[in-house]
Structure formats: structure tokens, C-alpha cells
């Protein structure tokens, strides 16, 4: 067993040391980068539109991701996005991917299922690139079948 050097953190120090707060500039830059990437992915005319859609989709997702995955998702996102995800009350029942898209459509004025699917996929594909494959796989394991395509992934099933 290797002993920890004086400069290495111990498990106890990691558990008792509060995390370093993110600088406000870093957060606004992170949020700006996230929404600019959503704007590009979704081909939205303005960053304001991309921000609105990002907030709505993250808010909807926040109610469906629970436990360690929710905590890890919030940690992997810029503070503003993390707040949107973490502030949601957990859903009482999991929605199918189609129901999830329809729930987003209900939150966007004039949206149809098709336009909401575009919005959801635009945000979740950028989210997947942001948080990485491992976390996305863990999130998808919590959700009903059908969500992988919304995250820009193939959904493989058992051969028939």
C-alpha cells in the first residue's frame, strides 16, 4: 500500500474540504459557450432563443434524472445550467421519450412535437458532448428506452 505524500489530498480532506466556488466570469463564459453551441446545433436565429430552449429542455430533464447521476450532471455543467437541472422536483413517473418531447412542446409557445424533438435533440446532443459518454450512459440507464436518439446516440437493442 502506498502512503500519501504531504502534497497529495487524503480521502478525509477531500470529504471535508468545501469545493472551490466557481468564479462568476467562468460561469457566465460556460453558460455562454453552452448556449452558443446549442444555437449552432439547433440553427437558432439568436442566442436568446437558444438560451430559452436550453432552459426549458434542461428544466424538463432535471425532473427525470435522479440520484448520483443528477448530482454529477449538475457538477459537469456551468453553474447556471446546473441550477436549472438541480432546482427541479423529481417526476412522479418516468416519461417515455415521446412523452418527454411532448412535455417540452407544451412549454414552448407554438411548438409541435416535431419542432420540440428538434429543440430537445439540439440541447441534449450538446449536453452529451459537454458531460461525456460515461455520464450520458448512466443517465440513459435511468431513463426509459428511446432517449438515446435524443442525446444523439444510436439506441441498440437485442437482436430479434
Amino acid at each position: 500500500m502506498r502512503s500519501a505524500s504531504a502534497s497529495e489530498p487524503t480521502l478525509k480532506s477531500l470529504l471535508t474540504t468545501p469545493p472551490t466556488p466557481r468564479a462568476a466570469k467562468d460561469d457566465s463564459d460556460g453558460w455562454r459557450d453552452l448556449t452558443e453551441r446549442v444555437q449552432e446545433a439547433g440553427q437558432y436565429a439568436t442566442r436568446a432563443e437558444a438560451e430559452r430552449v436550453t432552459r426549458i429542455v434542461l428544466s424538463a430533464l432535471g425532473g427525470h434524472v435522479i440520484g448520483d447521476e443528477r448530482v454529477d450532471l449538475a457538477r459537469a455543467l456551468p453553474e447556471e445550467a446546473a441550477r436549472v437541472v438541480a432546482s427541479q422536483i423529481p417526476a412522479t413517473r418516468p416519461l417515455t421519450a415521446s412523452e418527454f418531447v411532448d412535455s417540452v412542446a407544451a412549454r414552448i409557445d407554438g411548438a409541435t412535437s416535431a419542432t420540440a424533438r428538434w429543440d430537445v435533440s439540439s440541447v441534449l446532443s450538446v449536453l452529451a458532448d459537454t458531460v461525456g459518454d460515461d455520464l450520458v450512459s448512466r443517465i440513459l440507464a435511468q431513463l426509459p428506452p428511446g432517449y438515446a436518439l435524443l442525446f444523439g446516440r444510436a439506441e441498440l437493442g437485442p437482436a430479434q
Side-chain angles (χ1 to χ4, degrees):
M1 179 175 194
R2 186 175 80 105
S3 64
S5 73
S7 64
E8 290 182 47
T10 64
L11 180 57
K12 183 177 179 183
S13 71
L14 289 173
L15 294 174
T16 58
T17 305
T20 305
R22 298 177 193 169
K25 182 179 185 307
D26 291 343
D27 179 55
S28 65
D29 288 348
W31 174 251
R32 180 175 293 111
D33 179 58
L34 179 70
T35 56
E36 285 173 353
R37 290 172 42 220
V38 168
Q39 181 181 358
E40 183 178 325
Q43 300 175 358
Y44 298 106
T46 65
R47 201 172 116 250
E49 183 180 6
E51 279 192 31
R52 183 177 56 81
V53 168
T54 301
R55 285 182 194 284
I56 290 168
V57 173
L58 290 179
S59 173
L61 183 66
H64 294 282
V65 178
I66 58 172
D68 290 342
E69 287 72 24
R70 183 176 171 146
V71 171
D72 291 346
L73 176 61
R75 285 182 180 158
L77 293 172
E79 189 173 335
E80 181 65 25
R83 245 192 316 269
V84 173
V85 168
S87 67
Q88 303 310 304
I89 296 171
T92 57
R93 74 172 183 85
L95 298 178
T96 66
S98 180
E99 290 171 329
F100 181 81
V101 168
D102 288 343
S103 76
V104 170
R107 298 177 186 200
I108 300 173
D109 289 335
T112 65
S113 288
T115 61
R117 183 174 304 281
W118 178 268
D119 294 334
V120 169
S121 293
S122 297
V123 174
L124 295 184
S125 64
V126 169
L127 180 83
D129 289 342
T130 302
V131 303
D133 289 339
D134 178 57
L135 182 53
V136 171
S137 294
R138 291 173 36 219
I139 290 169
L140 288 173
Q142 279 190 358
L143 300 170
Y147 278 81
L149 291 174
L150 298 174
F151 281 87
R153 290 181 157 199
E155 184 148 22
L156 304 175
Q160 300 284 335

